[in-house]
Amino acid sequence: MGRSLQNTMINLGIQSSVDEALYQLGLDIEELEELEEDAGLGNGGLGRLAACFLDSMATLGMAAYGYGIRYEYGIFAQKIINGEQQEEPDDWLRFGNPWEKARPEYMLPVNFYGRVVDTAEGKKWVDTQVVFALPYDNPIPGYNNNVVNTLRLWSAKSPMDFNLKFFNDGDYIQAVLDRNLAENISRVLYPNDNVFEGKELRLKQEYFLCAATLQDIIRRYKAAKFGTREPTRTNFDLMPNKVAIQLNDTHPSLAIPELMRVLVDIEGPIWENAWDVTVRCCAYTNHTVLPEALERWPVSMFERLLPRHLEIIYHINFLHLQDVQKRWPGDMDRMRRMSCVEEDGEKRINMAHLSIVGSHAVNGVAAIHSEIIKKDVFKDFYEMNPEKFQNKTNGITPRRWLVLCNPSLSDLITEKIGDEWTVHLDQLTKLKQWAKDPNFQRAVQKVKQENKLRLAQLLEKDYGVKINPSSMFDIHVKRIHEYKRQLLNCLHIITLYNRIKKNPSAKFTARTIMIGGKAAPGYYVAKKIIKLINMVANVVNNDPIVGEKLKVIYLENYRVTLAEKIIPAADLSEQISTAGTEASGTGNMKFMLNGALTIGTLDGANVEMAEEMGDENIFIFGNDRRRSGRLEKERLQRDGLL
Ligand SMILES: *Cc1c(COP(=O)(O)O)cnc(C)c1O
């Protein structure tokens, strides 16, 4: 989410009056803003996308809730020491959080472990350990529309009778200390981006979020007075008309078996009706095709932690494979490929397969990514249910990523085309009529130069690095990952360095290359890439022959608040992932919106950006699926095969 103060003032339309009022009091609003911690409750693009969607939904006046975990420690703070990353805990709640309101009246129980027993009324999950989910509500103000939605974050709370056994044994102190064990569920965010780590505590977190959220949704559905209500039970058939559950990747995919469990074991509908309700309520957004990122939980972990859910998943899979069998009789290999249960090696549950089976809609996050899903990773599922598969190209909120972070450019745009673009971004095309106007060009360039100067001053003040504000700001900020190819950028730096050294008097456009981003603490290669960039920077920055021509800066602790300061100052945006690996990217759009040029591959949303701006306005390199497709077609036509 980043910070809330400035965003709230902007969306409420009170920024300038607050600014003025504080000035009258002898205070500086910008100084106060710097005191707020970032809410860093996600890892990278996926979490920021959710934050942008919350802003957009509130601005559209949609009745939407965001649900998540109130991690006591968010994404770690990154320190660069001797060129290497060191992690520090993100103790963001240390001084309190004025934006949240605890709602103990809506606290809910979540069960773990235990066993399943057969009773006359059906299956029962018994002898469980209970942890409470305490909700904290965070306001999500719409832009200029008097709407405020809710982001509800769950915090783990030990039940009063936790470890009562110890009380009886007289070990009161130990019983109180052990309350921490249950509350560890919401202690810390797992810091992997696009990597699956099969830790039990992580599975607990995922179920904790789903179980609490579904109880909340069902409570609200029951409390609403629409639809028919039988004397003793709720009619859930109408739930899909009122409730849409959008799964942000597979991380909340336990919502599918959990909704089935609540309906079948507790609320009354028979399996077939419950399944119909579940599939019509749930939809799944896929965020990656990297095999190492796909969640595949060991069955052994489910057996212990969520035994009833494992049974339900097995039954979902049994019925699903019957459908596959009906459609492709005897195709055993297809059955194996499409199963939610992987049997080779350690038995695992494939959460993406479960999500597709349990959803009425499945989407990728950029055109190319949605095509890859249909033609490659989930081809079998596409052949079975083509109507489920869609594309929803990612987006960003233009309020935070232009109005808030680049007020001078915003004002310049509004001067020309009015202010409706803040809620209808397509109106920016109206600017085309001034594209060749030298006065407008000069005004835009002046804003960019001022933004660059401000960033240079900030880097000098906060990090003691001096940069040349008239050099080209070439910026590569995102999580560090091999597929994002910060290493390729580093090799380019070395190439530029060698060129300068070989011919020091040759003409050279002065560049300041800035690279920033966090590596997952356990990602060895990513950490080595950070070290390499810093060691290369040491050589380049201290070579008198290179001088002012080339500087390399590692931007420490990249996060939303730093992005807001860096992006408006960028001349060149680096979006150079290996083609076919970045599902969409959203950093690419933030830079484009702030007037940077892009150098990039035909990957993710870069493809659609290039279509919108024209290939002449973007620097594309590398594998071109479009072109190779066209060449392939031409070859087939030439050979008389098409
Ligand atoms: C937008 C954003 C991202 C995502 O960047 P990509 O270039 O799309 O990977 C990651 N981290 C932060 C802090 C962001 O603001």
Side-chain angles (χ1 to χ4, degrees):
M1 300 297 293
R3 288 175 177 162
S4 289
L5 179 58
Q6 195 186 355
N7 184 248
T8 303
M9 292 190 299
I10 287 172
N11 284 19
L12 265 43
I14 60 173
Q15 192 181 26
S16 50
S17 22
V18 172
D19 199 350
E20 175 64 22
L22 283 173
Y23 180 77
Q24 300 277 327
L25 293 168
L27 295 166
D28 178 358
I29 186 74
E30 285 186 29
E31 226 173 89
L32 291 179
E33 283 164 2
E34 285 303 314
L35 298 176
E36 186 180 352
E37 298 271 351
D38 273 37
L41 303 181
N43 268 296
L46 178 145
R48 184 57 235 178
L49 179 74
C52 286
F53 276 155
L54 289 179
D55 179 85
S56 287
M57 289 190 293
T59 297
L60 291 168
M62 295 174 63
Y65 291 75
Y67 281 100
I69 295 174
R70 179 181 178 272
Y71 295 111
E72 193 175 327
Y73 295 91
I75 186 67
F76 65 87
Q78 179 192 56
K79 284 266 149 67
I80 302 293
I81 293 167
N82 298 325
E84 290 179 298
Q85 169 173 300
Q86 273 189 21
E87 300 90 22
E88 282 183 2
D90 168 39
D91 195 4
W92 71 295
L93 295 168
R94 189 174 48 236
F95 300 119
N97 175 8
W99 301 105
E100 67 182 11
K101 172 83 183 74
R103 306 301 299 273
E105 68 274 31
Y106 293 128
M107 192 161 78
L108 293 164
V110 176
N111 294 282
F112 295 98
Y113 303 106
R115 61 201 169 84
V116 181
V117 290
D118 252 315
T119 75
E121 296 97 60
K123 302 272 194 172
K124 271 206 155 66
W125 185 17
V126 297
D127 294 343
T128 55
Q129 294 179 26
V130 178
V131 179
F132 281 98
L134 171 61
Y136 285 78
D137 285 354
N138 300 260
I140 308 293
Y143 182 75
N144 218 338
N145 65 354
N146 274 318
V147 171
V148 180
N149 282 349
T150 299
L151 168 62
R152 180 161 284 181
L153 300 175
W154 301 104
S155 181
K157 191 91 188 116
S158 196
M160 279 302 285
D161 59 359
F162 189 79
N163 270 353
L164 204 60
K165 164 169 82 64
F166 281 112
F167 276 99
N168 298 336
D169 294 347
D171 201 346
Y172 161 73
I173 297 293
Q174 194 56 47
V176 174
L177 294 180
D178 283 354
R179 293 172 64 86
N180 271 324
L181 266 43
E183 293 173 2
N184 276 340
I185 289 175
S186 57
R187 195 75 66 204
V188 58
L189 169 75
Y190 277 91
N192 300 318
D193 184 72
N194 271 307
V195 183
F196 171 60
E197 189 185 335
K199 286 283 196 302
E200 184 181 82
L201 181 59
R202 169 71 186 189
L203 184 59
K204 277 187 182 170
Q205 290 181 338
E206 292 185 355
Y207 180 62
F208 176 74
L209 167 62
C210 294
T213 301
L214 274 171
Q215 287 180 75
D216 208 43
I217 290 171
I218 290 168
R219 175 191 57 73
R220 197 180 296 119
Y221 175 71
K222 284 178 166 178
K225 291 286 184 279
F226 54 80
T228 58
R229 188 189 288 250
E230 293 169 36
T232 53
R233 26 183 262 222
T234 308
N235 178 3
F236 283 94
D237 297 341
L238 299 170
M239 195 161 125
N241 299 342
K242 298 290 175 185
V243 176
I245 301 169
Q246 191 68 38
L247 306 175
N248 194 19
D249 212 325
T250 61
H251 313 151
S253 60
L254 286 169
I256 291 165
E258 173 65 1
L259 182 51
M260 285 301 290
R261 187 187 70 83
V262 172
L263 293 178
V264 172
D265 293 358
I266 302 170
E267 296 288 351
I270 61 163
W271 181 280
E272 286 71 20
N273 293 348
W275 184 244
D276 179 63
V277 169
T278 298
V279 171
R280 289 198 291 138
C281 281
C282 293
Y284 159 54
T285 301
N286 173 276
H287 283 274
T288 181
V289 298
L290 299 181
E292 67 270 28
L294 300 178
E295 290 192 303
R296 295 153 61 246
W297 289 103
V299 163
S300 56
M301 218 176 263
F302 263 100
E303 260 163 353
R304 263 164 44 78
L305 193 66
L306 302 166
R308 180 60 184 135
H309 295 80
L310 183 59
E311 287 186 351
I312 289 169
I313 291 167
Y314 279 158
H315 195 61
I316 290 171
N317 195 45
F318 169 76
L319 296 171
H320 157 60
L321 290 181
Q322 275 191 336
D323 289 344
V324 176
Q325 172 82 236
K326 258 180 240 155
R327 177 76 195 272
W328 290 280
D331 192 342
M332 299 309 285
D333 200 51
R334 188 184 290 262
M335 295 243 287
R336 183 190 54 74
R337 291 199 308 266
M338 294 185 74
S339 179
C340 299
V341 184
E342 296 182 359
E343 310 262 6
D344 48 331
E346 189 180 15
K347 234 173 135 177
R348 289 168 181 273
I349 306 299
N350 185 314
M351 305 308 277
H353 290 186
L354 178 64
S355 301
I356 297 170
V357 173
S359 297
H360 64 278
V362 177
N363 72 284
V365 290
I368 183 181
H369 170 232
S370 296
E371 287 304 309
I372 290 171
I373 282 174
K374 290 192 289 185
K375 297 199 173 115
D376 190 6
V377 254
F378 302 130
K379 180 168 182 282
D380 294 320
F381 290 91
Y382 174 64
E383 284 173 7
M384 186 152 145
N385 295 109
E387 74 287 351
K388 274 191 189 181
F389 287 78
Q390 301 187 15
N391 174 247
K392 292 284 172 288
T393 300
N394 280 169
I396 55 172
T397 169
R399 274 74 63 185
R400 183 176 292 264
W401 297 112
L402 188 49
V403 179
L404 182 153
C405 72
N406 200 343
S408 315
L409 184 57
S410 297
D411 288 347
L412 205 54
I413 294 168
T414 297
E415 232 174 74
K416 289 290 185 204
I417 64 170
D419 62 5
E420 261 192 35
W421 63 269
T422 54
V423 287
H424 296 287
L425 198 60
D426 50 342
Q427 291 196 5
L428 288 184
T429 54
K430 287 189 188 168
L431 286 171
K432 275 185 179 170
Q433 56 187 301
W434 290 285
K436 296 210 157 70
D437 173 10
N439 290 323
F440 186 63
Q441 290 178 343
R442 258 196 303 279
V444 170
Q445 276 175 349
K446 182 163 169 277
V447 166
K448 179 64 78 181
Q449 199 50 47
E450 286 164 0
N451 291 340
K452 289 172 69 177
L453 201 58
R454 190 172 315 112
L455 178 62
Q457 285 164 351
L458 176 118
L459 292 177
E460 185 159 359
K461 181 170 76 71
D462 290 0
Y463 305 97
V465 292
K466 259 197 149 71
I467 58 177
N468 173 8
S470 59
S471 63
M472 181 205 299
F473 284 15
D474 171 347
I475 305 188
H476 196 182
V477 284
K478 50 186 75 246
R479 288 297 295 259
I480 307 297
H481 212 297
E482 285 159 279
Y483 86 83
K484 290 176 184 279
R485 295 203 290 194
Q486 284 92 358
L487 183 57
L488 180 63
N489 193 348
C490 193
L491 293 173
H492 179 243
I493 296 171
I494 294 168
T495 304
L496 292 178
Y497 174 79
N498 286 338
R499 273 185 207 153
I500 295 168
K501 295 286 277 188
K502 203 168 165 189
N503 192 357
S505 57
K507 199 164 164 279
F508 190 90
T509 303
R511 275 197 205 222
T512 303
I513 300 179
M514 300 177 225
I515 304 178
K518 293 171 185 176
Y523 190 171
Y524 179 82
V525 173
K527 287 183 144 180
K528 284 292 186 197
I529 291 169
I530 293 177
K531 174 111 192 258
L532 176 65
I533 293 164
N534 281 297
M535 297 301 108
V536 169
N538 272 342
V539 173
V540 171
N541 297 346
N542 295 303
D543 192 320
I545 293 174
V546 173
E548 289 275 285
K549 286 180 185 151
L550 185 61
K551 293 286 175 205
V552 180
I553 311 283
Y554 200 91
L555 296 168
E556 187 178 81
N557 203 26
Y558 181 60
R559 62 198 187 283
V560 169
T561 295
L562 191 55
E564 289 164 6
K565 294 169 180 171
I566 292 164
I567 293 169
D571 293 306
L572 185 61
S573 160
E574 299 270 357
Q575 307 298 336
I576 60 175
S577 53
T578 307
T581 62
E582 187 77 272
S584 164
T586 50
N588 46 6
M589 304 170 196
K590 298 169 195 169
F591 282 97
M592 183 189 185
L593 190 58
N594 283 275
L597 295 176
T598 302
I599 181 166
T601 46
L602 282 171
D603 199 16
N606 298 354
V607 177
E608 289 150 87
M609 284 167 48
E611 271 165 21
E612 286 298 317
M613 72 178 98
D615 283 8
E616 70 279 16
N617 291 312
I618 186 168
F619 302 101
I620 293 291
F621 69 93
N623 187 5
D624 184 344
R625 283 178 182 248
R626 304 172 307 176
R627 189 158 302 140
S628 50
R630 182 147 22 96
L631 288 177
E632 183 63 9
K633 204 165 146 192
E634 281 165 15
R635 188 185 66 76
L636 290 171
Q637 279 166 344
R638 211 171 38 243
D639 296 351
L641 297 168
L642 202 80

